[in-house]
Structure formats: structure tokens, C-alpha cells
Amino acid sequence: MDYSQHKRFDEDFFNMRTDNDSELVEKVLSSTIKTLEKFLNEIDNNTADIDSIAHHLKGTAMVVGLYRLGYICSDIMKNDDEETVSELVDFAKNEMILLVDFLGEKLKSLS
């Protein structure tokens, strides 16, 4: 499974969506980081249905330009094979960890 053709973070799309409003950028980045951390915790603790998590994550990801994560989540939702879903969930977790760090750095740079 190769998702490298999809941007991890489409900054141009994100800036268009936030109209480069610095206050809005900070709010959206902060909210996105919290959402990713929440879903990482839920996945690690098996406290929610993975299809439900994938659905919500896909929506969050696509709205803010986290396309790689969005496509991984889309594939999770389409797949019935337990082993494949498990691999995709691992991909999604790794992507979320990278995004939390990346977006956190981006947020710090705004301060």
C-alpha cells in the first residue's frame, strides 16, 4: 500500500480554507491536533468502532488538507479483510503521529 502520491498536508489548500487568517489558522491547527490525539487514544484503547473512527478522521483530514490520512481512512472503510484493515490502521496511526508532530511544529512557528 503506497500513499506517497497523496500529500501529507496540502498547505495551499489549508491556507485557502483558512483565508490565511492567523487566528483561524491557529484554531484549526490546534483543533486538528486535538482530534488526531483523541482518535489515536481511542484506537490504542479500542474504545470505538474502527469504521466510525475512520469515517470521522476522513472528514477531518479532507477538510484541512491531510490527504494521505484521508485516503488511508477511506481504504479502511472500504475493506472487509481483517488483516488488511489492521495494516491500514497501523498506517493511519503512524500518519497521525507524524501529523501531530508536524502540525504542532507548524503551530509553534506561528507564535
Side-chain angles (χ1 to χ4, degrees), residues 3-15 17-18 25 27-37 39-40 54-75 91-104 106-107:
Y3 293 93
S4 62
Q5 75 271 20
H6 303 293
K7 289 184 177 182
R8 175 164 285 134
F9 177 61
D10 187 336
E11 193 160 1
D12 292 333
F13 177 79
F14 181 80
N15 289 335
R17 295 284 300 193
T18 59
V25 166
K27 285 181 183 179
V28 172
L29 287 175
S30 179
S31 175
T32 301
I33 291 167
K34 287 177 187 173
T35 298
L36 293 172
E37 291 173 333
F39 284 126
L40 271 169
H55 176 76
H56 286 97
L57 267 175
K58 178 185 171 195
T60 297
M62 296 309 231
V63 165
V64 297
L66 307 176
Y67 294 131
R68 190 173 297 170
L69 179 60
Y71 283 102
I72 295 168
C73 290
S74 179
D75 286 349
F91 277 159
K93 285 172 57 175
N94 290 333
E95 187 66 19
M96 286 188 283
I97 290 166
L98 290 169
L99 285 167
V100 166
D101 290 341
F102 175 79
L103 297 175
K106 190 150 208 52
L107 188 58

Side-chain angles (χ1 to χ4, degrees), residues 76-91:
I76 290 170
M77 293 164 40
K78 293 177 192 173
N79 211 303
D80 291 331
D81 180 68
E82 204 171 301
E83 186 176 323
T84 303
V85 169
S86 179
E87 288 177 25
L88 289 166
V89 168
D90 286 342
F91 277 159

